[in-house]
Amino acid sequence: TALSCYSGGGTTILGDHDKCFEYALKVPGIVNQDNLLINVMVNSERSIGTTFMSYMRQSCVSFTTTALDNRQFYGPVLRHEAGGHGLAFLADEYANYSGTPPTDHVSTYNSRFEDYGWYSNIDFTNDRSKIRWKAFLSDSRYNGQVGIFEGAALYEQGAYRSTEKSIMRYLDESDEFNAPSRWKIYQQIMDRSG
């Protein structure tokens, strides 16, 4: 394609993100490559997506497919990739690997959280007084809605999320963003709008 998109293994779809940033600069009003969310919709029968997140630019390029224009399939992928990863810099809440994450994986996620506020929807501790969404756990309005569930950041053990289901865990039309994820989306909108 014009943006060098190609399908990788599994649910991976990629492209030339530098070319996407260059193209975005052609839009009136965009003067640099910082704080951008670019979504590339690729015409494909498959329902797949991948997001490139740039900590240097605090920008993202989400590559998602049209799934033959079937909203039931492309809608959740678009929300997961562009809304979750692209706008709010959320982590995946599903697990692809058994066991616990390696030390470098944990270090990368933790440093991105500490330096940039990324990945606020997952944590590597299940201590209620330290976990990233501890404020929700002590707020009675979220009783029964927010907890601590094991399995997140691509690993079945040693990584935690706040709900059993969410759009960052499953790609189902009925899944939505959990409370900590919605809070991060709200913060991003407020920060970017001034």
Side-chain angles (χ1 to χ4, degrees):
T1 67
L3 299 173
S4 305
C5 296
Y6 63 94
S7 177
T11 61
T12 302
I13 184 166
L14 296 169
D16 185 339
H17 50 268
D18 287 326
K19 191 182 285 187
C20 294
F21 283 115
E22 287 175 27
Y23 195 78
L25 288 173
K26 298 180 185 300
V27 176
I30 295 180
V31 295
N32 62 48
Q33 299 177 352
D34 299 331
N35 296 311
L36 294 180
L37 165 56
I38 300 166
N39 189 70
V40 178
M41 293 292 291
V42 179
N43 188 16
S44 171
E45 295 179 11
R46 299 178 65 200
S47 179
I48 56 177
T50 305
T51 299
F52 165 79
M53 301 163 67
S54 170
Y55 67 90
M56 294 178 70
R57 296 175 179 141
Q58 289 297 294
S59 294
C60 293
V61 180
S62 296
F63 297 95
T64 57
T65 57
T66 58
L68 292 177
D69 200 30
N70 186 331
R71 184 180 183 275
Q72 178 183 355
F73 295 114
Y74 80 74
V77 175
L78 179 63
R79 286 191 297 279
H80 173 100
E81 297 296 338
H85 295 310
L87 174 62
F89 297 98
L90 300 175
D92 288 315
E93 295 180 5
Y94 56 81
N96 283 343
Y97 309 106
S98 61
T100 59
T103 305
D104 62 331
H105 185 82
V106 174
S107 295
T108 298
Y109 276 67
N110 284 339
S111 68
R112 294 292 190 270
F113 175 75
E114 291 162 11
D115 295 343
Y116 309 110
W118 292 14
Y119 310 136
S120 61
N121 62 317
I122 62 97
D123 208 341
F124 299 97
T125 180
N126 60 358
D127 184 331
R128 294 178 65 86
S129 66
K130 295 179 181 175
I131 204 158
R132 293 177 182 157
W133 54 90
K134 64 185 176 188
F136 290 96
L137 295 174
S138 61
D139 188 329
S140 62
R141 294 174 295 175
Y142 296 95
N143 285 349
Q145 295 180 42
V146 176
I148 301 173
F149 298 83
E150 192 166 29
L154 307 178
Y155 287 87
E156 290 179 355
Q157 298 170 322
Y160 303 90
R161 62 188 190 280
S162 66
T163 55
E164 177 60 39
K165 293 182 71 180
S166 85
I167 194 74
M168 298 310 291
R169 182 165 170 81
Y170 300 111
L171 294 176
D172 186 272
E173 184 71 19
S174 64
D175 288 330
E176 53 192 39
F177 291 101
N178 55 37
S181 297
R182 291 193 309 270
W183 175 241
K184 187 61 179 183
I185 291 168
Y186 170 80
Q187 289 176 316
Q188 286 292 94
I189 291 169
M190 297 306 285
D191 287 347
R192 289 183 184 201
S193 67

